Amino acid sequence: MFDSKKIDAYFEGHKSLVARKDVAKQRFNWSRFVKLGFPCFAAAIFGVMMVLPNIRKSVDISDKITLPHKSEMEKLHAEQVVLNVTDKKNRVNQVWADNMDELEAGSGEIKINNPHAEVNSDSGVINISADIGFMNQNTKVLRLEENVKVVDEKNNTIQTSKATYDFENEYGFGDESVYAEGDWGNLSAQGFNFDKNAEILVLLGNSEINTEKGVLTAEKETQIFQKENKVISIGNAEVKQNEKSLKADKIVNYFSSGDKKELVKTEAFGKVKVISEKGTALADKAIYRADTGAAELFGNVVITSEKGVAKSDKAVYQANTGVAEMFGNVVITSEKGVAKSSRAVYNPKDNTVDLYDNVVLEQGDNFMYGQHAHTDLNTSISTMTADKNKGTRVSGIFYSKRKADNGKKTDK
């Protein structure tokens, strides 16, 4: 009926003999699987490893799967970056940005977003900013793109779309349109380069400097020497002020020192052309001195006005008085005749011309010779005088036109 052993085992917490046999049987089955099944599973994995290379050789999966290169896993990324860069004078310049990403692992070239830089100079700090930058830590070259802005220690500002700065050589350049504002005026050009050591800014291509005193333009380049307070414009250069203009192959402007730049002197070379309300002057070289208002013209000088044409080897024009003086092989041609001398002085106040030394007046076939001639341009009357100190006299040759018996003109 009832098995007392099973009942006792139940109340005493012991399992039945049958249950013990079942557990032992289960343990035997698991240990048997581990001993026999695990080696089979390992052999299967080993077989797959042996076969897999052959599968990869026979099936092209490159179009479907791209495996990352090891180097790609080593690229650097950082937030709120600060870079310290030394120049050849061992001054520490700082470049900071919102973040950075290395372009190629180990290349030393990084892309930086919203870069800003402080560059040390002999007279202060130059601030540089842009939207995007590329920094090569090996060559110490910083390339900037989009909204590039440079502000120097004198608050002169340069703006462009692309620029490069070499910290090692302290040299910057760009080949995109550039615009600048500062103590030199408003500047624009097709490109630029800047030597920080020498403090020389060169505007490339068609350039223009617009100031309160006038406009300076050039087709090739304009060189600004900040230390020397000098500006050189090359290639169809022109200085224009109101209705007055000075054109030449090369124009050099010298300015005063200090915060406010005032023109001191202008020199022009090669195919010089001066245009004013009074007329036009041509020469090989010209010098204008702002302090005295004197303009000197040298070499093949030709001055053209409503009254005629004057030629000489040299001319000096006083802007304050309007007096013009000509030297060497002076030849003045008008509708009234030709005047020649070694020196001539034009006085606009009286509208007169005085000729000195070896004076010759020609009118048709008539000639007068003397040492001094005074001509009133209002009346076209000339007066010739001799040099009493030298014992010279006035002389002349006069011809009259008469008709001969045969109706032809004859000179007597």
Side-chain angles (χ1 to χ4, degrees):
M1 299 226 349
F2 295 96
D3 190 341
S4 61
K5 292 183 178 180
K6 291 184 178 180
I7 294 174
D8 294 337
Y10 175 80
F11 285 101
E12 292 175 0
H14 300 293
K15 292 183 179 180
S16 65
L17 181 60
V18 177
R20 291 180 182 179
K21 290 182 180 180
D22 290 339
V23 172
K25 184 177 181 181
Q26 291 177 6
R27 290 179 179 176
F28 173 80
N29 292 337
W30 276 108
S31 63
R32 186 176 183 184
F33 172 78
V34 172
K35 292 179 180 180
L36 298 177
F38 184 79
C40 295
F41 181 74
I45 294 176
F46 182 77
V48 172
M49 294 176 63
M50 295 296 293
V51 175
L52 183 58
N54 296 326
I55 295 176
R56 293 183 61 185
K57 290 181 181 179
S58 60
V59 179
D60 185 5
I61 61 173
S62 59
D63 294 336
K64 300 179 181 179
I65 300 176
T66 301
L67 299 177
H69 297 287
K70 181 179 179 181
S71 59
E72 292 180 347
M73 305 300 292
E74 299 173 353
K75 291 181 181 178
L76 299 177
H77 173 82
E79 299 288 333
Q80 301 300 318
V81 181
V82 178
L83 302 173
N84 293 320
V85 187
T86 58
D87 56 25
K88 60 183 179 181
K89 293 182 180 179
N90 290 323
R91 294 176 297 199
V92 178
N93 306 279
Q94 283 194 328
V95 180
W96 65 94
D98 291 346
N99 52 64
M100 60 156 277
D101 288 285
E102 191 175 21
L103 296 181
E104 294 291 338
S107 65
E109 187 163 3
I110 58 176
K111 178 182 178 182
I112 49 181
N113 292 314
N114 194 26
H116 291 73
E118 287 187 351
V119 180
N120 293 296
S121 68
D122 294 336
S123 53
V125 176
I126 300 174
N127 290 282
I128 304 174
S129 62
D131 291 347
I132 301 173
F134 298 89
M135 180 72 192
N136 191 310
Q137 295 174 292
N138 298 323
T139 61
K140 299 181 181 180
V141 173
L142 173 64
R143 293 185 292 115
L144 300 172
E145 296 181 1
E146 300 182 18
N147 298 318
V148 181
K149 185 177 181 181
V150 180
V151 182
D152 68 9
E153 61 279 358
K154 297 180 181 179
N155 209 34
N156 295 310
T157 303
I158 300 175
Q159 294 178 309
T160 185
S161 58
K162 288 184 180 181
T164 301
Y165 185 74
D166 186 335
F167 285 93
E168 183 67 25
N169 296 304
E170 299 184 77
Y171 185 82
F173 61 92
D175 55 6
E176 299 290 334
S177 296
V178 58
Y179 177 79
E181 295 177 331
D183 50 9
W184 295 98
N186 297 333
L187 290 67
S188 62
Q190 294 176 302
F192 80 99
N193 59 61
F194 176 64
D195 188 331
K196 184 169 70 70
N197 231 1
E199 293 188 27
I200 299 175
L201 173 64
V202 180
L203 303 176
L204 304 174
N206 290 317
S207 58
E208 178 179 299
I209 301 178
N210 198 324
T211 69
E212 296 179 355
K213 301 295 184 179
V215 180
L216 174 63
T217 60
E219 291 184 0
K220 186 177 180 180
E221 66 179 42
T222 297
Q223 305 167 357
I224 301 175
F225 297 79
Q226 294 177 318
K227 287 182 178 180
E228 303 175 38
N229 295 310
K230 179 174 67 175
V231 176
I232 299 178
S233 299
I234 301 173
N236 291 326
E238 180 180 11
V239 177
K240 190 173 183 180
Q241 184 181 29
N242 299 326
E243 299 300 321
K244 299 178 182 179
S245 172
L246 170 63
K247 297 180 179 180
D249 293 338
K250 177 182 177 181
I251 296 177
V252 182
N253 288 310
Y254 298 87
F255 294 87
S256 61
S257 58
D259 295 335
K260 190 175 182 180
K261 304 297 181 184
E262 296 289 346
L263 181 65
V264 176
K265 182 175 70 172
T266 296
E267 296 180 348
F269 306 87
K271 298 179 180 179
V272 178
K273 185 176 183 180
V274 182
I275 302 174
S276 68
E277 63 276 5
K278 297 295 184 180
T280 302
L282 304 176
D284 295 332
K285 178 182 177 182
I287 298 176
Y288 170 73
R289 291 179 171 83
D291 54 346
T292 62
E296 297 178 73
L297 303 174
F298 302 89
N300 301 313
V301 179
V302 179
I303 300 176
T304 304
S305 67
E306 294 179 356
K307 300 296 182 179
V309 178
K311 299 180 180 180
S312 66
D313 295 334
K314 178 183 176 181
V316 178
Y317 172 72
Q318 301 291 341
N320 298 332
T321 61
V323 174
E325 189 171 3
M326 307 184 76
F327 304 88
N329 300 312
V330 179
V331 179
I332 301 175
T333 304
S334 68
E335 58 183 12
K336 298 296 182 178
V338 179
K340 299 179 180 179
S341 67
S342 298
R343 185 168 69 94
V345 179
Y346 168 69
N347 191 334
K349 182 179 180 180
D350 302 327
N351 200 24
T352 60
V353 176
D354 285 275
L355 296 97
Y356 301 91
D357 301 328
N358 303 316
V359 179
V360 178
L361 299 179
E362 301 178 12
Q363 188 175 22
D365 294 325
N366 301 318
F367 296 85
M368 289 185 66
Y369 302 91
Q371 294 301 311
H372 174 244
H374 177 81
T375 301
D376 189 332
L377 298 176
N378 298 311
T379 62
S380 298
I381 296 176
S382 297
T383 303
M384 180 77 77
T385 60
D387 189 345
K388 296 180 180 180
N389 296 327
K390 294 183 179 180
T392 60
R393 300 172 58 185
V394 175
S395 61
I397 301 175
F398 302 92
Y399 293 89
S400 60
K401 304 288 185 180
R402 294 182 181 180
K403 289 186 178 180
D405 297 336
N406 57 8
K408 296 181 179 180
K409 290 183 178 181
T410 181
D411 295 333
K412 290 186 179 180

